[in-house]
Amino acid sequence: MYHIRNITKDVVWIGASDRRLALFENLFPIPRGVSYNSYLIMDEKTVLMDTVDNGVAGQFFENLEHALSGRALDYLVVSHMEPDHCAMIGDIVRRYPDVKIVGNAKTFTMIGQFFGTDCSDRAVVVKEGDTLSFGAHTLHFVMAPMVHWPEVMAAYDETDKILFSADGFGTFGALNGGIFADEVDFDRDWLDDARRYYTNIVGKYGASVQTLLKKAAGLDIAVICPLHGPVWRENLGYILEKYQKWSTYEAEEKAVVILYASVYGNTASVADALAGRLAENGVKKIAVYDVSNTHVSELISEIFRASHLVLAAATYNAGIYPAMENLLSDMKALAVQNKTVALIENGSWASTAAKQMKEKLSELKNMTILDTQVSVKSAMLEGQEEALLALTDAIMETL
Ligand code: FEO
């Protein structure tokens, strides 16, 4: 059954949601599924804004055919060549043999790489600032390199004031009927997944996102249509403010996130004791995670959110416990910055975890590592809590 929604009179959402896929990019758990958004502009010409992932091809073509109402497809605009959006290009060309494909020079290089043809007979190559008119609607192309991939471009519909933002402003999560952010409780039900999507997929490219946000500030935008998740037509300031913070690596809130890597529970016990002491001191926003038990994408998202981190790790093979080492590598890969960090180490004979965590953190920008740290020998026993109280005080002084 077709499932389409009008964004404006002429612009129709024709995307689809996947609730079967376990791992997005074969990497990120998506228990709430994911949507692949595609949009159709019905004008003197018909214009498809991106295709979808293979996994939802059937639903997508049903939607497209219904929305076209028997008309042919004249144009396909390719904003991004990652296969979750470009997988259906070949099928589109087979079904609509006269379709023209709009992209930038890098788009067509990638079309060649993925499909073995550069589509030169049907290519319409655009660059920054170019416009294409399809009747009442004119699209203005805005290059957004590295707002996930190098060929990414956004498009601004000058008529309906819509920004087609590619992966920008996207989120994990299947759409459940409501396709607009104002039809759902975004802050309660979507923000965590939006942050996890942004920080893990685009997090490394904050400077590129800043460039796009500055270009967007010069446009009169009424609607943001991303390639994943809800469409924004109200309260755009809410999501723009989140993007401003995430892309400048500014914490969303004063909060303490305690991340522990514990072999038998003794390091975990110290982490919990610290959380309790902080709560006694009036800290309300505290989150504690077992890094062995929580997907690293969730940890990265929480690290972006919070101002303060506590890393507590056992020493293992004379190094950092592997789950924590993996987290530190991901923090570096995703350009985590601007955090205050406290360290706790544990070791039954030769503790080296704190020293090594410090070395890893020194590779990140603008990290303040507290001098006060806790070194546990096997377990923190009653009567040994002095170091924990000192660390609590040191964290409180910075909050
Ligand atoms: Fe949704 Fe970068 O692909």
Side-chain angles (χ1 to χ4, degrees), residues 24-25 36 80 82-85 147-149 167 197 201 227-228:
F24 184 80
E25 291 187 0
Y36 305 102
H80 181 19
E82 194 168 9
D84 56 330
H85 310 292
V147 180
H148 197 204
W149 278 24
D167 275 336
Y197 175 87
I201 291 183
L227 287 175
H228 304 282

Side-chain angles (χ1 to χ4, degrees), residues 112-352:
Q113 290 171 196
F114 276 107
F115 297 106
T117 166
D118 63 3
C119 289
S120 53
D121 53 334
R122 61 182 74 246
V124 179
V125 183
V126 294
K127 58 184 187 319
E128 176 73 32
D130 281 358
T131 58
L132 281 178
S133 183
F134 304 103
H137 292 260
T138 297
L139 287 182
H140 166 150
F141 295 96
V142 179
M143 300 302 130
M146 301 322 294
V147 180
H148 197 204
W149 278 24
E151 84 298 356
V152 170
M153 64 180 195
Y156 175 66
D157 176 351
E158 295 175 352
T159 311
D160 285 350
K161 302 188 186 334
I162 297 174
L163 181 70
F164 295 96
S165 59
D167 275 336
F169 307 102
T171 171
F172 297 131
L175 291 167
N176 303 307
I179 68 154
F180 295 100
D182 56 276
E183 292 180 323
V184 299
D185 190 333
F186 193 91
D187 200 68
R188 187 190 67 191
D189 298 333
W190 287 82
L191 178 60
D192 286 348
D193 259 339
R195 185 189 304 105
R196 189 164 66 94
Y197 175 87
Y198 174 88
T199 56
N200 285 277
I201 291 183
V202 197
K204 176 181 170 66
Y205 304 110
S208 307
V209 174
Q210 276 289 301
T211 303
L212 176 61
L213 289 177
K214 286 186 181 119
K215 289 182 188 177
L219 302 170
D220 179 14
I221 299 169
V223 183
I224 298 175
C225 286
L227 287 175
H228 304 282
V231 169
W232 290 86
R233 63 180 176 184
E234 288 181 13
N235 199 13
L236 271 53
Y238 170 92
I239 195 68
L240 286 166
E241 188 195 326
K242 296 292 181 198
Y243 263 64
Q244 178 63 20
K245 287 199 167 154
W246 296 338
S247 61
T248 54
Y249 305 93
E250 183 188 337
E252 271 170 84
E253 50 191 9
K254 283 239 181 253
V256 183
V257 171
I258 302 174
L259 306 127
Y260 70 77
S262 185
V263 191
Y264 290 105
N266 292 305
T267 307
S269 172
V270 178
D272 273 326
L274 175 66
R277 299 292 185 282
L278 290 169
E280 283 171 355
N281 277 275
V283 182
K284 295 222 177 329
K285 292 184 173 172
I286 308 167
V288 182
Y289 293 97
D290 179 347
V291 301
S292 298
N293 249 334
T294 314
H295 194 269
V296 69
S297 65
E298 290 191 26
L299 303 177
I300 288 292
S301 179
E302 284 292 84
I303 286 169
F304 267 73
R305 178 180 65 82
S307 56
H308 287 61
L309 311 177
V310 179
L311 304 183
T315 305
Y316 200 85
N317 284 333
I320 308 166
Y321 188 78
M324 181 65 80
E325 190 163 31
N326 180 52
L327 172 62
L328 285 159
S329 297
D330 228 24
M331 286 168 69
K332 185 180 176 191
L334 295 165
V336 167
Q337 301 170 30
N338 303 330
K339 305 291 169 190
T340 299
V341 189
L343 297 174
I344 298 172
E345 68 176 358
N346 195 351
S348 291
W349 57 98
S351 277
T352 60

